[in-house]
Coordinates of all heavy atoms in Angstrom, one line a residue:
V171 N 0.6 -13.6 -3.3 CA 1.2 -13.4 -4.6 C 1.6 -12.0 -4.8 O 2.6 -11.6 -5.2 CB 0.3 -14.0 -5.8 CG1 1.0 -13.6 -7.0 CG2 0.2 -15.5 -5.6
R172 N 0.5 -11.1 -4.6 CA 0.8 -9.6 -4.8 C 2.0 -9.1 -3.9 O 2.8 -8.3 -4.3 CB -0.5 -8.8 -4.5 CG -1.5 -9.0 -5.6 CD -2.8 -8.2 -5.2 NE -2.5 -6.8 -5.3 CZ -3.3 -5.9 -4.6 NH1 -4.4 -6.3 -3.8 NH2 -3.0 -4.6 -4.8
S173 N 2.0 -9.7 -2.7 CA 3.1 -9.2 -1.7 C 4.4 -9.7 -2.2 O 5.4 -8.9 -2.0 CB 2.7 -9.8 -0.3 OG 1.6 -9.3 0.1
I174 N 4.5 -10.9 -2.7 CA 5.8 -11.3 -3.1 C 6.2 -10.7 -4.4 O 7.5 -10.2 -4.5 CB 5.8 -12.9 -3.5 CG1 5.5 -13.8 -2.2 CG2 7.0 -13.4 -4.2 CD1 5.2 -15.2 -2.3
L175 N 5.4 -10.4 -5.4 CA 5.7 -9.7 -6.5 C 5.8 -8.2 -6.5 O 6.4 -7.5 -7.3 CB 4.6 -10.0 -7.7 CG 4.7 -11.6 -8.2 CD1 3.4 -11.9 -9.1 CD2 6.0 -12.0 -8.6
R176 N 5.3 -7.6 -5.3 CA 5.3 -6.2 -5.1 C 4.6 -5.6 -6.3 O 5.3 -4.5 -6.9 CB 6.7 -5.7 -4.8 CG 7.4 -6.3 -3.7 CD 7.0 -5.9 -2.3 NE 7.0 -4.5 -2.1 CZ 6.2 -3.8 -1.4 NH1 5.1 -4.4 -0.8 NH2 6.2 -2.5 -1.2
T177 N 3.4 -6.0 -6.7 CA 2.8 -5.4 -7.8 C 2.5 -3.9 -7.6 O 2.4 -3.4 -6.4 CB 1.4 -6.1 -8.1 OG1 0.6 -5.9 -6.9 CG2 1.7 -7.5 -8.2
P178 N 2.3 -3.1 -8.7 CA 1.9 -1.6 -8.6 C 0.6 -1.4 -7.8 O 0.6 -0.5 -7.0 CB 1.8 -1.2 -10.0 CG 2.6 -2.2 -10.8 CD 2.5 -3.4 -10.1
G179 N -0.3 -2.5 -7.9 CA -1.5 -2.2 -7.1 C -1.2 -2.4 -5.5 O -1.9 -1.6 -4.8
L180 N -0.5 -3.2 -5.3 CA -0.1 -3.5 -3.9 C 0.6 -2.3 -3.3 O 0.3 -1.7 -2.2 CB 0.7 -4.7 -3.6 CG 1.2 -4.9 -2.2 CD1 0.0 -5.4 -1.4 CD2 2.5 -5.9 -2.1
R181 N 1.5 -1.8 -4.0 CA 2.3 -0.5 -3.6 C 1.3 0.7 -3.4 O 1.5 1.3 -2.4 CB 3.4 -0.1 -4.6 CG 4.5 -1.3 -4.4 CD 5.9 -0.7 -5.1 NE 5.7 -0.4 -6.5 CZ 5.8 -1.2 -7.5 NH1 6.0 -2.4 -7.4 NH2 5.7 -0.7 -8.8
K182 N 0.4 0.9 -4.3 CA -0.6 1.9 -4.2 C -1.5 1.6 -3.0 O -1.9 2.6 -2.2 CB -1.5 1.9 -5.5 CG -2.5 3.0 -5.5 CD -3.3 3.0 -6.6 CE -4.4 4.1 -6.7 NZ -5.3 4.1 -7.9
E183 N -1.9 0.4 -2.7 CA -2.8 0.1 -1.5 C -1.9 0.5 -0.3 O -2.5 1.0 0.7 CB -3.2 -1.4 -1.5 CG -4.1 -1.7 -0.4 CD -4.5 -3.1 -0.5 OE1 -3.8 -4.0 -0.8 OE2 -5.7 -3.4 -0.2
E184 N -0.6 0.0 -0.2 CA 0.1 0.5 1.0 C 0.3 1.9 1.2 O 0.2 2.4 2.3 CB 1.6 -0.3 0.8 CG 1.5 -1.9 1.0 CD 2.8 -2.5 0.7 OE1 3.8 -1.8 0.1 OE2 3.0 -3.7 1.0
R185 N 0.6 2.6 0.1 CA 0.6 4.1 0.2 C -0.7 4.7 0.8 O -0.6 5.4 1.7 CB 0.9 4.8 -1.1 CG 2.5 4.6 -1.4 CD 2.8 5.5 -2.7 NE 1.9 5.3 -3.8 CZ 2.1 4.5 -4.9 NH1 3.3 3.6 -4.7 NH2 1.4 4.4 -5.8
G186 N -1.8 4.2 0.3 CA -3.1 4.6 0.8 C -3.3 4.3 2.1 O -3.8 5.0 3.1
A187 N -2.8 3.0 2.7 CA -3.0 2.6 4.0 C -2.2 3.5 5.0 O -2.6 3.9 6.1 CB -2.6 1.2 4.1
R188 N -1.0 3.9 4.5 CA -0.1 4.7 5.4 C -0.7 6.2 5.5 O -0.6 6.6 6.6 CB 1.3 4.8 4.8 CG 2.2 3.6 4.9 CD 3.6 3.8 4.5 NE 4.4 2.6 4.8 CZ 4.9 2.5 6.1 NH1 4.7 3.4 6.9 NH2 5.6 1.4 6.5
E189 N -1.3 6.6 4.4 CA -1.8 7.9 4.6 C -3.1 7.9 5.5 O -3.3 8.8 6.2 CB -2.3 8.5 3.2 CG -2.8 9.8 3.2 CD -2.0 10.9 3.9 OE1 -0.7 10.9 3.8 OE2 -2.5 11.8 4.7
R190 N -3.9 6.8 5.4 CA -5.1 6.8 6.2 C -4.7 6.6 7.6 O -5.3 7.1 8.5 CB -6.0 5.5 5.7 CG -7.1 5.2 6.7 CD -8.2 6.2 6.5 NE -9.4 5.9 7.2 CZ -10.0 6.8 8.0 NH1 -9.7 8.2 8.0 NH2 -11.1 6.5 8.7
A191 N -3.6 5.9 7.9 CA -3.1 5.7 9.3 C -2.6 7.0 9.9 O -3.0 7.3 11.0 CB -2.0 4.7 9.2
R192 N -1.9 7.8 9.1 CA -1.6 9.2 9.5 C -2.8 10.0 9.8 O -2.8 10.8 10.8 CB -0.6 9.9 8.5 CG 0.7 9.2 8.4 CD 1.7 10.0 7.5 NE 2.9 9.3 7.3 CZ 3.2 8.5 6.5 NH1 2.4 8.2 5.3 NH2 4.4 7.8 6.4
E193 N -3.8 10.0 9.0 CA -5.0 10.6 9.2 C -5.7 10.3 10.6 O -6.2 11.0 11.3 CB -6.1 10.5 8.1 CG -5.8 11.1 6.8 CD -6.6 10.8 5.7 OE1 -7.7 10.1 6.0 OE2 -6.3 11.1 4.5
L194 N -5.7 8.9 10.8 CA -6.3 8.5 12.1 C -5.5 9.0 13.3 O -6.1 9.3 14.3 CB -6.4 7.0 12.1 CG -7.4 6.5 11.1 CD1 -7.4 4.9 10.9 CD2 -8.9 6.8 11.6

């Protein structure tokens, strides 16, 4: 549901994941 609706919480989680991936 969050993925379909592209909720603000999901977008924040995705940004955090991308930053963590860059750190790794």
Side-chain angles (χ1 to χ4, degrees):
V171 173
R172 287 178 67 202
S173 296
I174 291 171
L175 298 177
R176 302 288 303 148
T177 64
L180 176 76
R181 290 194 303 271
K182 181 179 178 184
E183 184 179 43
E184 287 176 346
R185 281 192 305 273
R188 286 184 169 281
E189 184 51 40
R190 177 69 179 138
R192 288 185 184 96
E193 287 174 8
L194 287 169

